[in-house]
Amino acid sequence: MMLTFTVVVPAAGIGSRMGAACPKQYLPLAGKFLIEHTLDRLLSHPRIAQVVVAIAPDDDFFATLPLASHPRVSVIHGGTVRAESVLNGLSLVKTEWVLVHDAARPCITHHDIDLLIHEGLAGDGGLLGSRVRDTMKRSDTSGHVVRTVDRSDLWHALTPQFFRCLELQQALQDALGRGAMITDEASAMELAGWRPRMVEGRADNIKVTRPEDLALAALFLNQQEKET
Ligand SMILES: Nc1ccn([C@@H]2O[C@H](COP(=O)(O)OP(=O)(O)OP(=O)(O)O)[C@@H](O)[C@H]2O)c(=O)n1
Ligand SMILES: C[C@](O)(CO)[C@H](O)COP(=O)(O)O
């Protein structure tokens, strides 16, 4: 019997760095809304049984999308920070393992999802990442370079991130309770003493964050279509 999973999609952000008139997940991208690309990629994966989308309490747009009535899509209200949105989403998860994937990452591929599941199941779970390619610098508060940082084991943390649901719930609750700075699920799991696996994924699995990212995401989506 093939193990299937739920994906929690945090989609309750406002996209402040995008500076658009609407939250970035609802910006047009390659013929549909950004979030529709992300959800289509997830729902078309054979091992994804359910997608739980965490939307902002005042989001009345998601309900207008055809995907809102998809039988394998559930909706819940997100929180004021991403970790709260994820935690709310986890309350609807019925599978032992859960993936968490940003709504703002539409270029995720099935191959990378398969890689993450395979590696994550062998241990405490894991996350997709891409190795840093540039020379890395640390600056001081005045914006002057302080020193060059050894990049040999530095990664960009991506999503999906993949963990046992109960362990992730506990780790997020503990981290939020301690007021810890949690920007991804792995940081909560690390704080709880787990050792998430870093799984090298595609660097085109970008998070659409700033205006210039939209054209890049369109290019990557188009390129990926040609690869299939
Ligand atoms: N309270 C929040 C904040 C963010 N997110 C989601 O987390 C993902 C990654 O966060 P980010 O790229 O930072 O999105 P925003 O918070 O919307 O962007 P910004 O920081 O520029 O406002 C996004 O899909 C976003 O919708 C969420 O569900 N709940
Ligand atoms: C989870 C994440 O995509 C990992 O890189 C990222 O932390 C989410 O974006 P944010 O700007 O940190 O909310």
Side-chain angles (χ1 to χ4, degrees), residues 57-69:
D58 63 350
D59 179 343
D60 54 11
F61 187 78
F62 186 80
T64 68
L65 301 178
L67 275 172
S69 50

Side-chain angles (χ1 to χ4, degrees), residues 9-18 24-25 54 78-82 85 102-104 207-209:
V9 177
I14 62 170
S16 57
R17 287 168 286 179
M18 180 60 75
K24 63 187 179 184
Q25 53 270 32
T80 53
V81 294
R82 185 180 178 281
S85 299
D102 294 329
K207 180 165 66 76
V208 174
T209 306

Side-chain angles (χ1 to χ4, degrees), residues 42-155:
L42 297 172
L43 288 164
S44 59
H45 191 285
R47 301 191 74 175
I48 291 174
Q50 181 195 15
V51 175
V52 177
V53 188
I55 63 173
D58 63 350
D59 179 343
D60 54 11
F61 187 78
F62 186 80
T64 68
L65 301 178
L67 275 172
S69 50
H70 190 290
R72 292 192 288 125
V73 171
S74 309
V75 181
I76 195 162
H77 282 167
T80 53
V81 294
R82 185 180 178 281
E84 287 174 358
S85 299
V86 172
L87 205 47
N88 291 357
L90 291 176
S91 68
L92 296 184
V93 173
K94 300 181 183 63
T95 53
E96 180 188 1
W97 288 81
V98 63
L99 296 130
V100 182
H101 183 60
D102 294 329
R105 289 185 189 271
C107 303
I108 181 63
T109 63
H110 287 187
H111 180 262
D112 275 10
I113 292 173
D114 291 335
L115 272 180
L116 174 61
I117 290 170
H118 177 75
E119 293 291 328
L121 284 175
D124 297 342
L127 67 153
L128 287 176
S130 67
R131 290 186 181 276
V132 163
R133 305 173 178 199
D134 304 302
T135 295
M136 304 302 286
K137 306 284 186 185
R138 184 172 295 283
S139 67
D140 60 20
T141 50
S142 69
H144 292 93
V145 174
V146 175
R147 63 186 174 85
T148 298
V149 177
D150 175 9
R151 63 175 164 174
S152 52
D153 56 4
L154 283 186
W155 297 74

Side-chain angles (χ1 to χ4, degrees), residues 158-208:
L158 310 176
T159 70
Q161 304 196 5
F162 178 57
F163 298 106
R164 288 185 182 86
C165 185
L166 293 177
E167 292 165 0
L168 179 56
Q169 276 177 312
Q170 190 61 60
L172 284 170
Q173 285 162 351
D174 293 349
L176 287 170
R178 294 159 58 174
M181 179 65 181
I182 297 293
T183 55
D184 72 343
E185 289 66 58
S187 42
M189 296 298 282
E190 295 151 37
L191 274 178
W194 301 103
R195 300 182 68 228
R197 184 94 182 164
M198 180 59 79
V199 179
E200 185 157 17
R202 295 174 60 126
D204 60 3
N205 176 14
I206 63 168
K207 180 165 66 76
V208 174

